[in-house]
């Protein structure tokens, strides 16, 4: 009986397309709870769905609208990942050590999509570490990140760190490992 239960759990874990072990995270006061299927932002509760597949981990919501591969080894600028209706492009990767960007720990990768140019996601090493967002939806963070990375985004800020939503919880919601074990 115990062996059958262990086998069933193993099969479900391997076949499960879910985002990962972390079900609740918070970025700058914008929490996402995959157990409840909710994110809270701009004075409301928004639905967020797990649109993951075997190859791609994916969230589809208001702020959290992101598709990334389950293994980030070898991703390059220009790569595009899709999960359901969500599409994410790798916009920029740090050409230097993250020491120049003290908020982040490790190599930096910025991803986003042209249809939601007012928001981009920053991976530091293997963790979704921050979100940059223009709540007025008028600034083109997508283009700024694509052209000049973090420096391009910061150049658009009229008030320093007005758009930065850093990871405020212990772990990020979508890890992007560099290898599969």
């Amino acid at each position: 009986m115990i062996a059958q239960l262990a086998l069933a759990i193993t099969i479900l874990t391997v076949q499960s397309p879910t985002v990962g072990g972390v079900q609740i995270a918070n970025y700058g006061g914008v929490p996402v709870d995959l157990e409840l299927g909710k994110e809270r932002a701009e004075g409301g509760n928004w639905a967020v769905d797990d649109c993951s597949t075997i190859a791609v981990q994916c969230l589809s919501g208001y702020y959290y609208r992101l598709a990334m591969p389950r293994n980030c080894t070898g991703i390059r600028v220009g790569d595009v990942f899709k999960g359901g209706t969500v599409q994410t492009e790798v916009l920029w990767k740090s050409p230097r050590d993250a020491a120049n960007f003290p908020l982040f720990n490790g190599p930096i990768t910025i991803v986003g999509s042209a249809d939601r140019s007012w928001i981009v996601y920053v991976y530091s090493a293997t963790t979704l570490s921050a979100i940059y967002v223009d709540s007025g939806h008028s600034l083109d963070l997508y283009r700024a990140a694509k052209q000049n990375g973090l420096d391009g985004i910061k150049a658009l800020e009229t008030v320093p760190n007005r758009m930065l939503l850093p990871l405020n919880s212990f772990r990020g919601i979508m890890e992007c490992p560099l290898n599969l074990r």
Side-chain angles (χ1 to χ4, degrees):
M1 178 70 165
I2 293 175
Q4 290 172 332
L5 181 59
L7 178 61
I9 290 171
T10 302
I11 289 170
L12 287 174
T13 302
V14 170
Q15 292 179 346
S16 175
T18 60
V19 168
V22 177
Q23 297 294 304
I24 300 171
N26 185 322
Y27 291 86
V30 180
V32 59
D33 184 334
L34 293 178
E35 292 174 2
L36 296 177
K38 297 283 183 189
E39 62 180 75
R40 182 165 174 76
E42 293 189 3
N45 287 315
W46 304 90
V48 64
D49 297 312
D50 182 348
C51 50
S52 300
T53 66
I54 297 300
V56 175
Q57 49 187 332
C58 179
L59 291 175
S60 178
Y62 183 75
Y63 274 106
Y64 300 97
R65 191 163 174 78
L66 178 64
M68 289 295 283
R70 293 198 179 273
N71 182 346
C72 288
T73 301
I75 65 171
R76 298 182 215 340
V77 172
D79 287 351
V80 176
F81 307 103
K82 296 179 184 178
T85 61
V86 177
Q87 178 173 305
T88 304
E89 178 183 352
V90 179
L91 305 175
W92 184 81
K93 290 184 81 163
S94 64
R96 55 194 182 269
D97 187 9
N100 295 323
F101 304 105
L103 176 65
F104 303 108
N105 181 21
I108 299 167
T109 302
I110 301 175
V111 299
S113 62
D115 66 330
R116 294 169 51 87
S117 63
W118 50 273
I119 188 168
V120 293
Y121 307 89
V122 181
Y123 277 85
S124 172
T126 61
T127 301
L128 177 57
S129 299
I131 300 170
Y132 278 92
V133 61
D134 172 32
S135 58
H137 302 194
S138 61
L139 297 178
D140 193 344
L141 301 178
Y142 170 87
R143 179 175 292 175
K146 198 168 189 173
Q147 292 175 349
N148 295 308
L150 284 176
D151 292 333
I153 295 168
K154 290 188 173 295
L156 293 177
E157 291 183 315
T158 55
V159 177
N161 296 322
R162 174 180 67 92
M163 300 182 304
L164 175 64
L165 302 177
L167 176 63
N168 290 358
S169 51
F170 182 67
R171 287 186 55 203
I173 197 71
M174 283 180 63
E175 302 287 322
C176 196
L178 297 176
N179 59 31
L180 294 175
R181 296 180 186 187

